[in-house]
Each structure stands twice: as structure tokens, then as C-alpha cells.
Amino acid sequence: AAVLHTPASPELSFKHRTKPPGNQWQVVSVKGAIADSRASESQTAQCAPELRGTSAESLLFARHWDPSSLATGGAISESMERELLQKMSVFNKDAAPFAGKNVLEGLAESNKSPLIDLFLALELQSKDVDRAQVHLSQHLSALPAGHVAHPLVLLALYRVNGLEKALQAFAHFYPDASELLLPAEKAILQGSGGILPSTSAADPKLQWEDLQETHGCSSQAMDTL
């Protein structure tokens, strides 16, 4: 199965890799396990310019994600990941009502991974928004500043808390995950018809910030513009 891979060298990836023994998703410190320098940080994780000025502005997100996986890195067993991909409505729009919720609530009795709260928030948001907000809050409390958040945090921030900037950041960072978006969310992003726009391509300011973060580019003239 596809898992979050954090090998000895400071690299983060959501691509199909073999899970190393004892590997866990949980929260990963950019100052510790992920990176020892600003250069390596820019290769593994990124902040979301869209979230500046919001309560989520300090969160970091992986640069790559395979949306066909839960990317739990072993926090949830491979067999349970496969079951959740089938039963969670965020991944399978044809899933039976409450199927994902029921599996997650059962799993929560024996698995204390913060990811359970995140997934429950997404499953409950259309059924019980108050409970969804509690689960999302509990998950975010496990993500101190300077740690890498799961990509679905962005989707949860929009669906549960109504933070539209988080939806924009999700589309910006993970264009390959557009199939997870609802028609109304796609409409917000694209206006009317067509392909989901690339936020960084549409906004020169964000594009320049991407270059600064990724390649360490600097230009006083660009900063002035």
C-alpha cells in the first residue's frame, strides 16, 4: 500500500514506497526528523500562503501526495487502510451512509492515532458538524507549529470550519486530488466549467513565493512588485 515514507535521509514523500519497519505518520518535526536546514525544509514541506492571517497559517504540508492512499505511514494497518478507502465518503462518493463513520469509531477504541480524529471530522461534517468540529480541533491540537499536517487537513478546514482559503490551498498543492472535491467545491475554484485552475500559475505573487520556498530565489525587484 502507499504510505508516508520518512527514511533516514531528510525526505518526505507520499508516493508508492515500501513501509520501513516501525515507520509512523503522526506528526513530524521540520526542525528535527525532516530537516536540519532551511534548504532541506523547502524540499520536503511547505507553508500555505493562502492561509496567512488564519488560525492555520503555521501548518506545513508535504509537497507530494498520492490521493489513492490514506498516507498513514503505518499508523493504521494496510488492511484497514484498504477498507477505509472503500467506506470513507471522502474517498468513495458511493460509499454507504455512515460506513466510514462506523469503521472509524470502532477503530478509535484501539487506535489512538490523531489521524482517526481527522478522518472522523471529514466523515461527520455533513451529518453532525458540531462533533466534526470537536474531532478536527482535537486533531489540530496534535499539530504544533513547525510540524507537517496531513493533506486532508486542508479539506477538513474548508468542509468543517468553512475556511475557503484552505480549499484554495488544497487545489494549489494537490491538483491530482481534484477527484476528491465535490461539485460545489469545484465550482468555487473554477467559476464556471473548465479545468481547476492552478493557484500558483494564476497568481504571480504566489508563484514567486513558490520559487522562493523551493529554490531559494531572491530579488529585490520582485519583492517590490
Side-chain angles (χ1 to χ4, degrees):
V3 297
L4 177 68
H5 183 52
T6 52
S9 59
E11 177 184 351
L12 181 66
S13 175
F14 286 86
K15 299 181 183 297
H16 290 276
R17 301 249 180 122
T18 301
K19 179 172 72 67
N23 184 32
Q24 295 289 320
W25 158 265
Q26 298 179 358
V27 284
V28 184
S29 173
V30 169
K31 293 182 179 179
I34 287 184
D36 296 323
S37 67
R38 183 175 179 181
S40 57
E41 286 177 11
S42 69
Q43 295 172 3
T44 59
Q46 58 193 340
C47 61
E50 295 90 343
L51 298 183
R52 287 178 181 169
T54 73
S55 59
E57 66 179 353
S58 64
L59 295 179
L60 297 174
F61 296 90
R63 292 188 175 277
H64 304 288
W65 178 40
D66 173 6
S68 67
S69 78
L70 282 180
T72 69
I76 297 175
S77 70
E78 293 181 5
S79 60
M80 182 56 69
E81 282 193 26
R82 289 192 294 269
E83 183 174 356
L84 288 172
L85 285 170
Q86 290 298 315
K87 294 185 176 180
M88 285 177 61
S89 59
V90 67
F91 287 99
N92 180 8
K93 294 180 175 61
D94 295 324
F98 303 105
K101 165 187 171 293
N102 293 338
V103 172
L104 286 164
E105 287 180 340
L107 182 61
E109 295 179 4
S110 59
N111 189 320
K112 303 307 178 183
S113 168
L115 288 174
I116 306 298
D117 280 314
L118 172 61
F119 297 155
L120 274 170
L122 285 164
E123 289 300 292
L124 289 169
Q125 56 85 24
S126 63
K127 307 172 184 69
D128 188 337
V129 68
D130 290 336
R131 285 185 61 197
Q133 288 175 336
V134 169
H135 282 293
L136 180 58
S137 177
Q138 289 174 343
H139 177 74
L140 293 176
S141 69
L143 299 175
H147 289 65
V148 179
H150 192 284
L152 286 177
V153 165
L154 290 169
L155 205 54
L157 284 170
Y158 172 71
R159 292 185 179 178
V160 178
N161 289 353
L163 186 60
E164 188 171 319
K165 290 182 177 181
L167 178 63
Q168 296 168 355
F170 184 80
H172 172 200
F173 287 167
Y174 311 114
D176 291 341
S178 61
E179 70 273 12
L180 302 184
L181 300 177
L182 301 173
E185 293 167 341
K186 293 181 180 180
I188 291 173
L189 292 168
Q190 65 190 17
S192 59
I195 302 173
L196 287 175
S198 167
T199 306
S200 60
D203 189 334
K205 181 175 182 293
L206 293 179
Q207 189 175 39
W208 173 239
E209 289 172 343
D210 280 349
L211 288 172
Q212 288 178 305
E213 292 176 10
T214 305
H215 302 292
C217 299
S218 63
S219 168
Q220 184 175 355
M222 286 296 293
D223 291 338
T224 301
L225 288 174

